Amino acid sequence: MTAVQADCLTAALQIGYHLLDRGASALTAVEQTIGVLEQSGLFNAGRGSHVQLDGVRRMDASIMEGQELLAGAVASIEGIVHPISAARLVMEQTSHVLLVGKPASAFARHFQLERQPRRPSGHAVRKTTMTRALAPKTLQLYRAMTSGGLVLRERAGKETVGAVALDRTGTVAAGASTGGIDLMLPGRVGDTPIIGCGVYADNVSGAVSMTGLGEGIIRIAVAKDICDRLERGMSPAMAARAVLRKLVTRIDGAAGTLVIAPDGRFAIHHVTPRMAAGWWDGKGRPVVKDRF
Ligand code: ASP
């Protein structure tokens, strides 16, 4: 993690915690904290989102609160800075949970969410017809489907963003926002907008937000599995460790998780070499590291 990213995480934690301290809901703290990271352009979300092979940023996000189990999500949304706010609007302004693609983008525009170009400009975008060792099947398929070139952009240390929080009323919330993974076919959707996979929140068990390779996280339904284990009495650390171990041993997956229980115990755990993350309970300075 760069020093600038660490400063941004620290600022986001402070904003989120101060909201909770002034009596805001966990949902608002999660949305605003993620909003800071989306706005920064320093992470793989919002302004910093990764592009799909056709050069378009299509983003996924979801948010959930644990009192009434309300949830909202967007997938493959384009042209806005804050998919996390679009997800909250889906939750609060519609009777649905998930909106996708261009209609989701039109929905966000209707609520006047801040816009950004569908295709990033000023980034080091490289058009190429070269094949790569990585995901050759995906690249071959994409080439067979289109006559255009590929757009490849290295993520250069940018990670998906997420947050979990517990408010004064004892309600937990979780959210996540992403530009996806490297070398995605246009239209690919990961775990982030799928409730129970990338995100889950229930005041009976706790709140979970995931990062990592979505194709694996979806197959294990990781967020719900962690919550189920919390409900059966495991600590956040034990539940996180058990489910990520299962992800690795069963399907060779890779992920990191943020977990908070309704009594305030929490865990940050990853089976990837690094995961930039942090926490703050209002005392001292926020803790921000990239290994937990
Ligand atoms: N989970 C995200 C996805 O698969 C990517 C990430 O967390 O880095 O889209």
Side-chain angles (χ1 to χ4, degrees):
M1 170 171 41
T2 65
V4 188
Q5 285 173 322
D7 288 347
C8 184
L9 279 186
T10 303
L13 282 166
Q14 284 168 331
I15 287 166
Y17 182 82
H18 285 311
L19 282 166
L20 293 169
D21 198 39
R22 290 199 297 272
S25 66
L27 195 70
T28 295
V30 163
E31 181 195 0
Q32 296 299 316
T33 303
I34 290 177
V36 171
L37 304 174
E38 288 175 333
Q39 187 72 37
S40 72
L42 298 170
F43 301 92
N44 176 24
R47 288 193 190 285
S49 287
H50 195 41
V51 295
Q52 298 195 320
L53 284 171
D54 60 354
V56 175
R57 266 188 291 237
R58 294 184 187 85
M59 300 163 285
D60 302 333
S62 68
I63 195 161
M64 181 167 186
E65 65 83 48
Q67 190 183 4
E68 294 175 66
L69 306 181
L70 297 172
V74 289
S76 272
I77 196 165
E78 299 174 10
I80 61 160
V81 177
H82 294 299
I84 194 68
S85 297
R88 183 169 180 176
L89 285 165
V90 171
M91 175 181 133
E92 292 181 336
Q93 302 293 329
T94 78
S95 51
H96 311 309
V97 169
L98 174 61
L99 289 183
V100 305
K102 292 213 155 69
S105 311
F107 170 83
R109 283 199 301 275
H110 172 76
F111 286 97
Q112 296 179 341
L113 292 190
E114 189 180 345
R115 297 196 194 190
Q116 68 171 336
R118 296 167 66 233
R119 291 171 186 273
S121 58
H123 285 279
V125 172
R126 192 153 53 99
K127 281 208 178 238
T128 176
T129 50
M130 156 190 103
T131 46
R132 297 193 127 204
L134 245 180
K137 244 165 79 181
T138 304
L139 293 180
Q140 271 164 23
L141 181 59
Y142 180 68
R143 246 194 239 102
M145 286 164 55
T146 62
S147 50
L150 303 171
V151 179
L152 303 174
R153 185 160 72 89
E154 304 301 338
R155 274 200 288 177
K158 286 185 179 174
E159 296 180 48
T160 288
V161 305
V164 295
L166 167 67
D167 66 29
R168 283 186 186 165
T169 70
T171 287
V172 292
S177 179
T178 188
I181 56 168
D182 287 330
L183 301 176
M184 291 171 287
L185 285 177
R188 178 266 184 191
V189 173
D191 60 298
T192 306
I194 303 180
I195 302 302
C197 296
V199 153
Y200 202 73
D202 182 348
N203 285 359
V204 172
S205 50
V208 175
S209 176
M210 296 301 303
T211 180
L213 191 58
E215 280 70 5
I217 296 169
I218 291 171
R219 285 153 67 207
I220 300 276
V222 171
K224 184 65 165 64
D225 194 348
I226 292 176
C227 281
D228 288 347
R229 289 168 198 248
L230 293 174
E231 196 171 338
R232 294 201 295 270
M234 275 195 190
S235 68
M238 279 168 59
R241 255 190 246 121
V243 179
L244 293 197
R245 197 181 312 122
K246 174 173 154 191
L247 180 78
V248 173
T249 55
R250 292 290 305 278
I251 60 169
D252 198 21
T257 186
L258 310 172
V259 184
I260 193 162
D263 63 6
R265 287 176 303 160
F266 68 91
I268 302 174
H269 182 59
H270 52 102
V271 289
T272 48
R274 298 179 319 102
M275 177 169 110
W279 59 274
W280 200 35
D281 59 3
K283 297 178 200 113
R285 292 263 307 155
V287 175
V288 170
K289 304 190 287 184
D290 59 9
R291 262 173 237 260
F292 285 85

